[in-house]
Amino acid sequence: MTTTGTATAHQELTDEFNPFLAMAKRFEIASDRLGLDPGLRDVLRTPDRELSVSVPVLMDDKTLKVFTGYRVQHNWVLGPCKGGIRFAPDVNLDEVRALSAWMTWKCSVVGLPFGGGKGGVICDPREMSKGELERLTRRYTASIMDILGPDRDVPAPDMNTNAQTMAWIMDTYSMHVRSTQTAVVTGKPLALGGSLGRHEATGRGVMISAREALKRLGMRPEDTKVVVQGSGNVGGIGALLMHREGYTITSLSDMYGSIHNPNGLDVPNVLEFLAEKGKLEGFPDAEAVPNAVQLELPCDVLIPAATENTITSKNVDKIKAKLIVEGANGPTTFPADSVLDERGVMVVPDILANAGGVTVSYFEWVQDRMGYFWTEEVVNSRLEQIMVKAFDEVDEVAKKHDVSLRIGSYIHAIGRVAEVYQLRGSFA
Ligand code: NAD
């Protein structure tokens, strides 16, 4: 290969793994189908607001360290922006932008009255004490609080942030506005206005999406073998709920490796073992399998529920599942989409399959604003209604346009935001 050839191949690979480009390409395909004019496309693809802040933090050793934080509000046409805040060393504006746009389409696809937002702080939480993380969270909140609020922008946990982080954000915001504002964030502890059912919501949404897709494929739970990548909030809980519904979960993984039993894993035992030992390795009644091989195991359903860019141009040909349900955000790259399409593999895309989490976040926001809290049964049954309705709508759009569920979900989501934008009009 020539130097230019190598450079081009390298660029293609880098582009394949760029989440913003992946989202932009799917956006263009869906916009073409919708016949959106160039001006409206520009409005919908451009973030409404990007805030970059310096966050000085007094460290435990009394030195002052300045961190960089972002909050991007992609689009607030449907309502207040909604989206997580992540703390990680590789946070960058491009990634936050892409994730905020994904949130716009995710909220729209399930019909929530929210736009999309996302935030992040460049830091390494593993090297910070709890006190340092609290001071970082509070100062970051104070720095972005002009654009936050229950009617403006409502953050939630994401990578390396949790219910405690949300409690600090809620308290910092409330102290500044001199009143308790629980609805400024979701994913809070129950005692602070969190919602029952939020912890399981994304896994439950994945289970519902898989069930609806399998109905279309004419398959019954008892005849269905499922491989799940990841054993955390999405993968572990998704696997547990599907196990209870009678599916055979043949493999689970974590960042250290995978376990496989073609006759089915006892998922409650696996999760208990994981909670005790901190990793799946060594679980009895299963063989150890390298993570790359796990995705290629024979199965009916593959649920990538760990990280982005796991189904790529490099491994897509070896995937044997008939159905992929994307628990993670962005697990399939854009070039892999068309290969799966050609092979007739059904993919329930991330913006639909993992929308159970943001849906129950929406329920949390509603409950906080009402000051009236629902039972877990009410939460779960409303989640069920919203997920099934969204699945049916996406399926119908996909059939009408003769496209995949992924492009169908983008057409549905973008079409809804475009319609509301046009109804509201612009005073440009
Ligand atoms: P988590 O941290 O609870 O779990 C992640 C799991 O993936 C862990 O078991 C980890 O060991 C495993 N893992 C990490 N790297 C891996 C690898 N290379 N191979 C195999 N396993 C690996 O995170 P989560 O909340 O379950 O989130 C998982 C994905 O779902 C992320 O993409 C996240 O953005 C997305 N998501 C989460 C939610 C939510 O409500 N938690 C909502 C929507 C989307």
Side-chain angles (χ1 to χ4, degrees), residues 86 99 106 118 157-159 198-199 201-203 229-236 253-258 274 291 294 304-308 310 327-330 354-358:
R86 62 174 56 174
L99 293 168
K106 194 182 294 188
K118 202 84 185 186
D158 195 76
M159 205 182 283
R198 174 63 188 88
H199 181 63
T202 310
Q229 184 198 35
S231 305
N233 182 262
V234 183
S253 69
D254 61 21
M255 65 176 79
Y256 308 105
S258 307
L274 177 63
N291 274 347
Q294 190 213 20
T307 58
E308 55 206 39
T310 51
N329 285 318
N354 70 33
V358 72

